[in-house]
Amino acid sequence: MATALEEVDTTLRLKPDYGAALLLKSEVLVAKFADEADDVSGPIEPRYLYLKQAAESLETFFRLYPNEPDTDNWRQQLYTLRGYDSIGTEPNNPTVVKVFAPSKVSSKARLLVKPAPEYTEYARSMGIQGTVRLRAVLSSDGTVKHILVLNMLGGGLTGQAIKAARGIKFIPATVAGKPVSQYVVIEYNFLAY
């Protein structure tokens, strides 16, 4: 992961307006966050800096390429990354929403309904297959929030996975008998047939 980030940074130093490198940098930083997110041995703040830097990379991309086609998923990703500024682990700050790792709750959120995403005809015709991985907050109010794309697929499949994730119904996690918000990683597998 560190090597990928070094290589993309080197590319951007040589060509700061290279759109593909800006998008790749955002993806690498989100992946780095995801790899370290559940590590409870150190402070969490540096990990959230990855998300801030990922958002900055996307903001630069949109500033340079405001009319780039097929960027809906990237715009949604940027919106979600900005939303991560309002969540964290500061227990005495009322403006910060406390979100727990699954290992830190008394009872984990329990999925009741996990809708299957639709396979787009375009993706099927192109033979696109793979897994979309999402990190989301199953909120204490019973809604799915802050859907962060960890692994994207083309052909509209990422959008279909996000749409399906928004439809998840669940019973919130609890701590000391009270509902709390909890992170989860959701995977949707798309296989061409």
Side-chain angles (χ1 to χ4, degrees), residues 141-159:
D141 67 6
T143 60
V144 179
K145 297 181 179 178
H146 304 292
I147 299 172
L148 183 65
V149 179
L150 303 178
N151 291 53
M152 287 188 179
L153 283 178
L157 297 180
T158 298

Side-chain angles (χ1 to χ4, degrees), residues 21-97:
L22 289 165
L23 295 176
L24 181 59
K25 181 174 183 174
S26 182
E27 279 188 284
V28 169
L29 287 163
V30 168
K32 193 167 175 63
F33 168 81
D35 283 350
E36 297 179 16
D38 293 327
D39 176 10
V40 294
S41 62
I44 195 167
E45 291 78 15
R47 290 173 242 156
Y48 277 90
L49 288 177
Y50 299 143
L51 298 182
K52 182 177 181 183
Q53 292 168 354
E56 290 167 356
S57 186
L58 287 179
E59 287 166 348
T60 301
F61 174 82
F62 287 123
R63 206 170 31 257
L64 292 169
Y65 304 97
N67 300 316
E68 186 70 21
D70 196 31
T71 58
D72 290 343
N73 291 331
W74 289 111
R75 288 190 191 284
Q76 179 62 41
Q77 182 82 332
L78 178 57
Y79 175 78
T80 300
L81 288 167
R82 288 179 181 151
Y84 270 79
D85 288 341
S86 66
I87 61 178
T89 59
E90 296 176 41
N92 298 322
N93 185 343
T95 63
V96 174
V97 177

Side-chain angles (χ1 to χ4, degrees), residues 108-115 136-145 165-173 179-182 184 186:
K108 294 179 183 176
R110 190 165 44 106
L111 297 186
L112 302 173
V113 176
K114 182 184 175 193
V137 174
L138 300 182
S139 180
S140 60
D141 67 6
T143 60
V144 179
K145 297 181 179 178
R166 284 193 184 116
I168 289 174
K169 303 294 180 211
F170 63 94
I171 296 172
V180 296
S181 298
Q182 173 197 318
V184 292
I186 305 162

